[in-house]
Amino acid sequence: MKTRDFIEIEEQYGAHNYHPLDVVIERAEGVWVYDVDGKKYLDCLSAYSAVNQGHVHPKILQALLDQAKKVTLTSRAFRNDQLPMLYKELSEMTGYEMSLPMNSGAEAVETAVKLARKWGYQVKKIPRHQAEIIVAGNNFHGRTVTIISFSTEPLYRDDFGPFTPGFVVAEYGNADEIEKAITPNTAAVMLEPIQGEAGVIIPPDGYLKKVAEICKKNNVLLVADEIQTGLCRTGKLFASDHEGVRPDIVIIGKALAGGFYPVSAVLADKPILGLFTPGEHGSTFGGNPLAAAVARAALKVMRDEKLADRALELGTYFVEQLSEIPSPHVKEVRGKGLLIGVELKPEAGGARRFCEAMKARGILAKETHDNVIRFAPPLVIDRETIEWALPAIRETLNMK
Ligand SMILES: *Cc1c(COP(=O)(O)O)cnc(C)c1O
């Protein structure tokens, strides 16, 4: 079967909740993916930053295979010998005293929302069921009904109400707006340090630091959704580290298992994460031994291969090179580490056609929010590969 055949079947039998590029991938290795027609592409999306360690990393693969032969699922009704080690290693790596494992990113966001509310009632003494959480305009935190309840994107919301109350939206990048939105019932402010899905929106320098100070002053928790920005993507372990900010709660996912398995987690210190009691929250698959073994290997690869340093060095180089491309279509190139957005002018005709043209030249990138091309290759990319990609990107950004 060829590309067309697979696409036809997919379109006929699958729900159309995505608009993928028409490439059918059958295998991958490192920064490269291969389609069913034998064509090779550079992956510049990394599954939305879930494969920071590169596709099918041999050490993570080995951990998966080894653990799959032993025991894969115990449920948390029993204990297993992998989860404690994941807890300990996550704590050592991140500096947070505790963590709580889930599966998808959205589940970890839901967990953080529940945790912040519980803290609001138990510690801050907000009247029951009155807690508010302040979020940012143009946020992306996932797809559950509660999470889309505080989205500002009509496409995510329009046909899916009624919505969960208890959220207040403040403009992103403006700390004063957050301060104004705080009331005695505010339990938390939840933000992405860089807004990935909104189009790689980098807030002004000092924004997160100022928000952290406002939160502290007002006895409000700061929750950072680092699902996309965390785990080395922006050149530090967490994007919050760029401003020396230590959020009260950090949410991670995506690259936590290097693309092999859905693993997410909420990180916090004991006075916060210690508030959950048995039965209040859970997940059949969360913290299973296979997930824990894979996540442990994925974290080890990040550390051993110094992926944060690589992201910083190569990201700086990639942004420099992209910025030097003369193009009638480009409005702005911005990035931190290897999370890079090329914003096109409104008259460029949308980013989609540029992504399709790059695909024809062997580079897979995806448009985000109509006018932005996101470049976020696996962090194991090297300088030569970036140099290989640049002429094709240059040609594409100069097409009619
Ligand atoms: C991807 C993402 C999520 C949702 O993660 P899923 O695993 O798709 O549920 C939440 N927040 C941010 C910032 C993300 O990039």
Side-chain angles (χ1 to χ4, degrees):
M1 292 210 301
K2 297 272 192 211
T3 294
R4 266 290 125 211
D5 308 317
F6 288 104
I7 291 172
E8 263 172 38
I9 295 171
E10 180 167 328
E11 293 298 303
Q12 184 176 344
Y13 294 104
H16 296 181
N17 60 326
Y18 275 86
H19 182 28
L21 288 180
D22 281 341
V23 55
V24 180
I25 296 163
E26 68 170 7
R27 67 190 173 91
E29 188 181 0
V31 299
W32 302 103
V33 300
Y34 301 84
D35 76 5
V36 289
D37 300 330
K39 198 167 172 219
K40 175 181 173 179
Y41 304 87
L42 175 65
D43 181 0
C44 278
L45 181 64
S46 307
Y48 302 96
S49 295
V51 284
N52 287 356
Q53 298 88 339
H55 288 277
V56 198
H57 192 291
K59 292 200 169 137
I60 310 175
L61 173 64
Q62 197 57 53
L64 176 102
L65 295 173
D66 290 346
Q67 187 60 40
K69 287 180 205 155
K70 290 189 197 162
V71 58
T72 55
L73 185 59
T74 53
S75 84
R76 299 275 311 275
F78 310 134
R79 298 178 193 263
N80 69 69
D81 68 351
Q82 291 300 311
L83 184 56
M85 307 322 288
L86 174 61
Y87 283 144
K88 183 159 182 277
E89 287 158 17
L90 260 179
S91 176
E92 285 163 0
M93 193 162 173
T94 65
Y96 286 94
E97 291 170 0
M98 300 177 104
S99 57
L100 194 167
M102 298 296 286
N103 310 284
S104 69
E107 282 176 296
V109 171
E110 291 267 354
T111 303
V113 166
K114 286 173 74 174
L115 182 60
R117 285 178 170 183
K118 173 136 205 202
W119 176 89
Y121 302 130
Q122 297 284 316
V123 179
K124 188 165 170 173
K125 307 291 183 200
I126 295 170
R128 177 158 280 179
H129 298 172
Q130 299 296 307
E132 292 164 5
I133 294 177
I134 298 169
V135 298
N138 296 321
N139 68 73
F140 182 82
H141 297 285
R143 302 294 200 163
T144 65
V145 170
T146 287
I147 294 172
I148 61 159
S149 297
F150 53 86
S151 171
T152 56
E153 169 58 59
L155 180 66
Y156 301 163
R157 291 170 50 96
D158 276 356
D159 281 329
F160 305 111
F163 301 112
T164 307
F167 300 94
V168 178
V169 179
E171 184 196 343
Y172 188 66
N174 184 341
D176 295 337
E177 291 295 308
I178 292 205
E179 189 152 36
K180 273 192 235 154
I182 290 178
T183 73
N185 289 345
T186 305
V189 171
M190 180 163 73
L191 296 171
E192 301 154 87
I194 295 172
Q195 291 186 323
E197 291 319 293
V200 190
I201 308 297
I202 304 174
D205 280 343
Y207 171 65
L208 200 66
K209 205 180 168 83
K210 199 149 171 228
V211 172
E213 284 161 11
I214 290 166
C215 286
K216 205 175 174 89
K217 193 173 80 189
N218 290 282
N219 192 27
V220 164
L221 298 179
L222 176 60
V223 182
D225 180 346
E226 295 258 13
I227 291 170
Q228 184 162 162
T229 53
L231 304 179
C232 307
R233 172 53 59 187
T234 70
K236 303 257 187 203
L237 181 60
F238 297 127
S240 308
D241 295 340
H242 288 287
E243 300 218 332
V245 168
R246 185 178 189 272
D248 301 291
I249 299 174
V250 174
I251 310 164
I252 54 176
K254 294 201 166 112
L256 181 53
F260 281 88
Y261 206 86
V263 187
S264 62
V266 171
L267 311 171
D269 287 338
K270 209 168 234 163
I272 298 172
L273 207 35
L275 290 171
F276 276 136
T277 57
E280 285 187 335
H281 191 59
S283 158
T284 303
F285 280 85
N288 74 69
L290 186 59
V294 169
R296 292 178 67 198
L299 291 172
K300 189 166 177 347
V301 166
M302 269 176 231
R303 211 171 39 230
D304 290 354
E305 301 187 14
K306 299 191 167 44
L307 292 187
D309 295 346
R310 283 190 81 104
L312 197 61
E313 187 195 321
L314 292 161
T316 305
Y317 173 71
F318 203 176
V319 168
E320 258 170 38
Q321 295 295 310
L322 288 170
S323 305
E324 280 172 15
I325 295 178
S327 157
H329 304 302
V330 174
K331 183 174 162 202
E332 186 185 41
V333 177
R334 53 181 178 254
K336 212 158 222 170
L338 279 167
L339 184 56
I340 300 167
V342 173
E343 182 173 347
L344 304 175
K345 294 176 184 163
E347 59 273 21
R352 176 80 183 192
R353 67 187 191 99
F354 293 87
C355 293
E356 277 166 3
M358 277 198 294
K359 171 187 152 252
R361 296 181 165 99
I363 296 171
L364 296 183
K366 190 69 169 64
E367 77 277 8
T368 165
H369 269 248
D370 292 351
N371 284 325
V372 179
I373 311 172
R374 172 171 30 198
F375 289 95
L379 310 181
V380 295
I381 195 169
D382 54 26
R383 192 176 274 249
E384 293 74 62
T385 306
I386 295 175
E387 277 162 10
W388 169 87
L390 284 166
I393 297 171
R394 195 174 299 131
E395 274 172 40
T396 306
L397 290 177
N398 276 288
M399 68 187 201
K400 283 244 162 27

CSV table of all heavy atoms in Angstrom, one decimal, residues 32-51:
chain,number,residue,atom,x,y,z
A,32,TRP,N,15.1,11.7,12.3
A,32,TRP,CA,14.6,11.4,10.9
A,32,TRP,C,13.3,10.5,11.0
A,32,TRP,O,13.3,9.6,11.9
A,32,TRP,CB,15.6,10.6,10.1
A,32,TRP,CG,16.9,11.4,10.0
A,32,TRP,CD1,18.0,11.3,10.7
A,32,TRP,CD2,17.1,12.6,9.1
A,32,TRP,NE1,19.0,12.2,10.3
A,32,TRP,CE2,18.4,13.0,9.3
A,32,TRP,CE3,16.3,13.2,8.2
A,32,TRP,CZ2,18.9,14.1,8.6
A,32,TRP,CZ3,16.8,14.3,7.5
A,32,TRP,CH2,18.1,14.8,7.7
A,33,VAL,N,12.4,10.7,10.1
A,33,VAL,CA,11.2,9.8,10.0
A,33,VAL,C,11.2,9.4,8.5
A,33,VAL,O,11.6,10.1,7.6
A,33,VAL,CB,9.9,10.4,10.4
A,33,VAL,CG1,10.0,10.9,11.9
A,33,VAL,CG2,9.5,11.6,9.5
A,34,TYR,N,10.6,8.2,8.3
A,34,TYR,CA,10.5,7.6,6.9
A,34,TYR,C,9.1,7.2,6.6
A,34,TYR,O,8.4,6.7,7.4
A,34,TYR,CB,11.4,6.3,6.9
A,34,TYR,CG,12.8,6.6,7.2
A,34,TYR,CD1,13.3,6.6,8.6
A,34,TYR,CD2,13.8,6.8,6.2
A,34,TYR,CE1,14.6,6.9,8.9
A,34,TYR,CE2,15.1,7.0,6.5
A,34,TYR,CZ,15.5,7.1,7.9
A,34,TYR,OH,16.8,7.4,8.2
A,35,ASP,N,8.6,7.6,5.4
A,35,ASP,CA,7.3,7.3,5.1
A,35,ASP,C,7.1,6.0,4.3
A,35,ASP,O,8.1,5.3,4.0
A,35,ASP,CB,6.6,8.5,4.3
A,35,ASP,CG,7.0,8.6,2.9
A,35,ASP,OD1,7.8,7.7,2.4
A,35,ASP,OD2,6.6,9.6,2.2
A,36,VAL,N,5.9,5.6,4.1
A,36,VAL,CA,5.6,4.3,3.5
A,36,VAL,C,6.1,4.2,2.0
A,36,VAL,O,6.2,3.1,1.5
A,36,VAL,CB,4.1,3.9,3.5
A,36,VAL,CG1,3.7,3.6,4.9
A,36,VAL,CG2,3.2,5.0,2.9
A,37,ASP,N,6.4,5.3,1.4
A,37,ASP,CA,7.0,5.3,0.1
A,37,ASP,C,8.5,5.3,0.1
A,37,ASP,O,9.2,5.5,-1.0
A,37,ASP,CB,6.4,6.5,-0.8
A,37,ASP,CG,4.9,6.4,-0.9
A,37,ASP,OD1,4.4,5.3,-0.9
A,37,ASP,OD2,4.3,7.5,-1.0
A,38,GLY,N,9.1,5.2,1.3
A,38,GLY,CA,10.5,5.2,1.4
A,38,GLY,C,11.2,6.6,1.5
A,38,GLY,O,12.4,6.7,1.4
A,39,LYS,N,10.4,7.6,1.6
A,39,LYS,CA,11.0,8.9,1.6
A,39,LYS,C,11.4,9.3,3.0
A,39,LYS,O,10.7,9.0,4.0
A,39,LYS,CB,10.0,9.9,1.0
A,39,LYS,CG,10.6,11.2,0.6
A,39,LYS,CD,9.8,12.1,-0.2
A,39,LYS,CE,10.5,13.5,-0.4
A,39,LYS,NZ,9.6,14.6,-0.4
A,40,LYS,N,12.5,10.1,3.1
A,40,LYS,CA,13.1,10.4,4.4
A,40,LYS,C,12.8,11.9,4.7
A,40,LYS,O,13.0,12.7,3.8
A,40,LYS,CB,14.6,10.1,4.4
A,40,LYS,CG,15.4,10.5,5.6
A,40,LYS,CD,16.8,10.2,5.3
A,40,LYS,CE,17.7,10.7,6.4
A,40,LYS,NZ,19.1,10.3,6.2
A,41,TYR,N,12.5,12.2,6.0
A,41,TYR,CA,12.2,13.6,6.3
A,41,TYR,C,12.9,13.9,7.7
A,41,TYR,O,13.0,13.1,8.6
A,41,TYR,CB,10.7,13.8,6.6
A,41,TYR,CG,9.8,13.5,5.4
A,41,TYR,CD1,9.3,12.1,5.3
A,41,TYR,CD2,9.4,14.4,4.5
A,41,TYR,CE1,8.5,11.8,4.2
A,41,TYR,CE2,8.5,14.1,3.5
A,41,TYR,CZ,8.1,12.8,3.3
A,41,TYR,OH,7.2,12.4,2.3
A,42,LEU,N,13.2,15.2,7.8
A,42,LEU,CA,13.7,15.7,9.1
A,42,LEU,C,12.4,16.1,9.9
A,42,LEU,O,11.6,16.9,9.4
A,42,LEU,CB,14.6,17.0,8.9
A,42,LEU,CG,15.0,17.7,10.1
A,42,LEU,CD1,15.9,16.8,11.0
A,42,LEU,CD2,15.7,19.0,9.8
A,43,ASP,N,12.3,15.6,11.1
A,43,ASP,CA,11.2,15.9,11.9
A,43,ASP,C,11.4,17.2,12.7
A,43,ASP,O,12.3,17.3,13.6
A,43,ASP,CB,10.9,14.8,12.9
A,43,ASP,CG,9.7,15.0,13.8
A,43,ASP,OD1,9.1,16.1,13.7
A,43,ASP,OD2,9.4,14.2,14.7
A,44,CYS,N,10.7,18.3,12.3
A,44,CYS,CA,10.9,19.5,13.0
A,44,CYS,C,9.7,19.8,13.9
A,44,CYS,O,9.4,21.0,14.3
A,44,CYS,CB,11.1,20.7,12.0
A,44,CYS,SG,12.8,20.8,11.5
A,45,LEU,N,8.9,18.8,14.3
A,45,LEU,CA,7.8,19.0,15.3
A,45,LEU,C,8.1,18.2,16.5
A,45,LEU,O,7.7,18.7,17.6
A,45,LEU,CB,6.5,18.6,14.6
A,45,LEU,CG,5.3,18.8,15.5
A,45,LEU,CD1,5.0,20.2,15.8
A,45,LEU,CD2,4.0,18.1,14.9
A,46,SER,N,8.7,17.0,16.4
A,46,SER,CA,9.0,16.2,17.6
A,46,SER,C,7.7,15.8,18.3
A,46,SER,O,7.7,15.8,19.6
A,46,SER,CB,9.9,16.9,18.5
A,46,SER,OG,11.1,17.3,17.9
A,47,ALA,N,6.6,15.6,17.6
A,47,ALA,CA,5.3,15.2,18.2
A,47,ALA,C,5.0,16.2,19.3
A,47,ALA,O,4.8,15.9,20.4
A,47,ALA,CB,5.3,13.8,18.8
A,48,TYR,N,5.0,17.5,18.9
A,48,TYR,CA,4.8,18.6,19.8
A,48,TYR,C,5.7,18.6,21.1
A,48,TYR,O,5.3,18.8,22.2
A,48,TYR,CB,3.3,18.6,20.3
A,48,TYR,CG,2.3,18.7,19.1
A,48,TYR,CD1,1.7,17.6,18.6
A,48,TYR,CD2,2.0,19.9,18.6
A,48,TYR,CE1,0.9,17.6,17.5
A,48,TYR,CE2,1.1,20.0,17.5
A,48,TYR,CZ,0.5,18.9,17.0
A,48,TYR,OH,-0.4,19.0,16.0
A,49,SER,N,6.9,18.2,20.8
A,49,SER,CA,8.0,18.2,21.9
A,49,SER,C,7.9,16.9,22.8
A,49,SER,O,8.5,16.9,23.8
A,49,SER,CB,8.0,19.4,22.7
A,49,SER,OG,8.3,20.5,21.9
A,50,ALA,N,7.2,15.9,22.3
A,50,ALA,CA,7.2,14.7,23.1
A,50,ALA,C,8.4,13.8,22.8
A,50,ALA,O,8.8,12.9,23.6
A,50,ALA,CB,5.9,13.9,22.8
A,51,VAL,N,9.1,14.0,21.7
A,51,VAL,CA,10.3,13.2,21.4
A,51,VAL,C,11.6,14.1,21.4
A,51,VAL,O,12.4,14.0,20.5
A,51,VAL,CB,10.2,12.4,20.1
A,51,VAL,CG1,9.3,11.2,20.2
A,51,VAL,CG2,9.7,13.2,18.9
